[in-house]
Amino acid sequence: MKITERDACTGCGACAQACPFRAIVFREDEEGFPVPEVQEDKCKNCGMCRKVCPAVNPPQTHAIQKAYAAQLRDRDALGESTSGGLLTAFAREVFRKGGAVYGCVWDEKYTAVFRRAENEEELKGMRGSKYVSSWTGNAYKDAEADLEAGKTVLFTGMPCQVAGLKNVLKKDYPGLITMAFLCGGAPSPLAFRAYLKTISGKVPLKELDFRFRDKREHGAGVHITYQGAHKRVCETYISNPYYFSFYTKVILRLSCYHCPYRYRDRQEDITVGDFWGVEKHHPEMDVRAGVSALLVNTQKGADLLGKVRDALELTETRPEDIAGENNLTLTDEKKIYRIPAIRKGFFETLKSQGWKAAEHRYLYNPTRFKLWAKEKMPRKMLVLLKKYLR
Ligand SMILES: Cc1cc2nc3c(=O)[nH]c(=O)nc-3n(C[C@H](O)[C@H](O)[C@H](O)COP(=O)(O)OP(=O)(O)OC[C@H]3O[C@@H](n4cnc5c(N)ncnc54)[C@H](O)[C@@H]3O)c2cc1C
């Protein structure tokens, strides 16, 4: 049984979780992305996998109702969050009602996996973006069991994962709230593991304390930090080769290049994202501490926001201001990402020779040099260099 085209599958896991015969297992493809494999001896051709596949049956969408710049008032939790710490604000309200939150954490091997939280302690690991394709495991079915038991559930994740959940649930539960982020794409777990190997040689994984968006030294922005052999390393999105390969969209899943969830019509109740350029539109906000873009798309989302308002600094804004510097997310037109010409060669070299070889051959490129020069060189020197090169 073929579920969907290979380049349309997002790896959300809905088919495996919904299959009544447990006939679908996920395996990594040659680029390290989880893909479904139907075990023909167990499959009864019931068609459930195609019914729940969001690539075959996309969920219903809503127009954005309101847009905000938002920031959690609790400074400690905000410091641990990627931008404005909105997960914490919403999750606390769900815990207050005795509900459960589903989100993504690192396991002990730095694999991004879904977990369930029902208190502040279990929530901690969910804070912060893990820029790698994550695995939903049994999260949709577990969430369904919570909903059937009458609990409130906040399900957070990539938009394709929220779509997977919605299709697996057979009805719209009043207790369910979905929150997705504006997603620039899901990078390859194989690439992340290979990169991690290069930095964890002398430091055991459990002591690595790897953080993609560490605010502690320089405030909100993109600072990647980890424990090196002799000192703590802090790199920018340009100097860190893994983040740079994500930023320039070299290592994304094939389905991400034509992702249907990046546009203004949203299927989740609440959307969160980075508010890049917020200082131009809302200079009154404390940008250094991190500000999120927040979109409220349904009445359920508006009701939840109403309950957590006091926990947030909140300013109404326009979706177009959020979209302004958010590289191809939240666009009006159905723009697709171009697959970078180096993507194929990068993965081939990664598979055959490892991260370092792929990095040296493909990631020391003119784009990176230009970004690096812009970041590091004083303006005058940059102008002189440009003149000289001409
Ligand atoms: C792969 C990826 C690509 C992204 N691309 C963009 C982008 O292009 N533009 C943009 O504005 N924002 C993007 N984001 C979202 C952004 O990084 C922040 O998550 C968002 O601004 C919310 O910040 P916060 O402080 O409110 O969330 P926090 O309070 O820090 O919570 C983080 C939330 O993200 C979830 N999460 C983290 N990693 C993953 C993962 N791998 N899979 C599923 N869920 C995860 C957690 O469960 C949690 O709900 C991306 C995030 C990821 C993981």
Side-chain angles (χ1 to χ4, degrees):
M1 151 95 48
K2 183 175 171 188
I3 305 172
T4 186
E5 295 307 322
R6 183 73 173 266
D7 70 347
C9 172
T10 62
C12 74
C15 52
Q17 293 186 53
C19 174
F21 307 105
R22 297 184 177 278
I24 300 172
V25 289
F26 268 75
R27 300 197 197 287
E28 282 196 358
D29 67 8
E30 63 286 353
E31 295 173 346
F33 294 103
V35 288
E37 188 183 290
V38 180
Q39 297 172 300
E40 298 299 342
D41 55 328
K42 292 187 183 163
C43 175
K44 306 274 187 266
N45 280 313
C46 69
M48 182 57 85
C49 49
R50 284 184 57 78
K51 223 181 198 168
V52 299
C53 174
V56 180
N57 298 298
Q60 207 192 340
T61 56
H62 319 263
I64 298 166
Q65 289 184 2
K66 291 224 166 175
Y68 302 89
Q71 183 179 65
L72 185 72
R73 288 212 165 108
D74 172 344
R75 289 277 150 162
D76 291 336
L78 178 63
E80 294 292 314
S81 311
T82 298
S83 49
L86 299 184
L87 166 72
T88 303
F90 297 126
R92 283 179 178 163
E93 174 59 19
V94 171
F95 296 153
R96 202 186 56 75
K97 287 185 172 165
V101 174
Y102 288 82
C104 176
V105 304
W106 291 126
D107 74 2
E108 64 288 349
K109 288 185 178 156
Y110 277 96
T111 306
V113 291
F114 267 67
R115 291 279 185 266
R116 174 182 186 275
E118 51 179 34
N119 56 49
E120 191 72 29
E121 190 53 35
E122 291 168 347
L123 179 73
K124 275 185 187 160
M126 290 182 189
R127 291 190 188 115
S129 293
K130 292 95 190 160
Y131 292 108
V132 64
S133 173
S134 54
W135 178 232
T136 52
N138 208 42
Y140 305 148
K141 291 308 263 183
D142 292 346
E144 185 179 42
D146 277 331
L147 291 163
E148 281 293 322
K151 281 187 184 274
T152 301
V153 167
L154 170 63
F155 189 96
T156 72
M158 294 179 185
C160 51
Q161 294 167 334
V162 169
L165 168 78
K166 288 192 157 192
N167 281 6
V168 168
L169 299 178
K170 290 168 205 82
K171 55 183 184 197
D172 181 20
Y173 291 85
L176 173 69
I177 300 143
T178 54
M179 176 176 116
F181 44 81
L182 297 175
C183 186
S188 154
L190 173 76
F192 186 56
R193 283 198 306 271
Y195 159 72
L196 272 189
K197 243 191 224 167
T198 68
I199 60 166
S200 65
K202 289 182 188 150
V203 181
L205 269 185
K206 64 178 187 308
E207 287 165 29
L208 199 61
D209 187 21
F210 185 90
R211 299 181 189 214
F212 271 117
R213 302 272 298 271
D214 194 344
K215 294 175 179 173
R216 288 174 297 179
E217 233 178 286
H218 303 280
V222 185
H223 290 98
I224 297 96
T225 67
Y226 55 89
Q227 185 53 48
H230 305 295
K231 61 177 176 119
R232 196 147 181 90
V233 177
C234 178
E235 295 173 326
T236 66
Y237 73 109
I238 305 158
S239 51
N240 182 274
Y242 176 81
Y243 198 95
F244 178 75
S245 67
F246 159 59
Y247 177 75
T248 48
K249 311 209 180 298
V250 176
I251 54 167
L252 303 186
R253 191 177 176 111
L254 279 176
S255 58
C256 299
Y257 295 96
H258 50 90
C259 170
Y261 305 110
R262 273 192 281 116
Y263 308 104
R264 296 252 175 122
D265 288 334
R266 312 295 309 178
Q267 33 105 32
E268 61 277 359
D269 299 304
I270 293 169
T271 316
V272 298
D274 296 309
F275 201 148
W276 300 117
V278 63
E279 60 283 356
K280 285 185 222 145
H281 308 289
H282 305 289
E284 73 283 4
M285 295 208 74
D286 181 357
V287 176
R288 196 181 150 84
V291 179
S292 282
L294 167 62
L295 305 174
V296 173
N297 313 316
T298 64
Q299 192 53 44
K300 268 190 195 174
D303 292 345
L304 182 62
L305 178 62
K307 297 213 175 83
V308 306
R309 263 196 134 84
D310 290 349
L312 299 171
E313 293 287 343
L314 207 60
T315 306
E316 201 166 337
T317 192
R318 301 179 312 157
E320 41 282 32
D321 294 339
I322 295 169
E325 293 188 22
N326 219 321
N327 193 10
L328 284 191
T329 56
L330 210 63
T331 56
D332 267 335
E333 302 151 57
K334 306 264 172 218
K335 289 182 185 158
I336 59 163
Y337 292 157
R338 242 178 349 102
I339 299 180
I342 61 171
R343 185 182 182 281
K344 192 165 177 278
F346 182 89
F347 273 113
E348 280 169 7
T349 311
L350 179 71
K351 279 288 281 186
S352 58
Q353 296 168 54
W355 176 272
K356 279 279 172 207
E359 178 189 341
H360 284 125
R361 189 163 311 159
Y362 295 103
L363 300 181
Y364 287 95
N365 55 33
T367 312
R368 193 166 177 198
F369 177 72
K370 269 189 217 154
L371 287 168
W372 174 83
K374 219 167 143 189
E375 184 187 68
K376 295 274 182 219
M377 286 186 184
R379 235 189 104 62
K380 271 189 188 162
M381 204 194 277
L382 205 61
V383 174
L384 280 175
L385 183 72
K386 267 189 193 159
K387 268 191 192 157
Y388 173 76
L389 287 177
R390 252 188 251 132

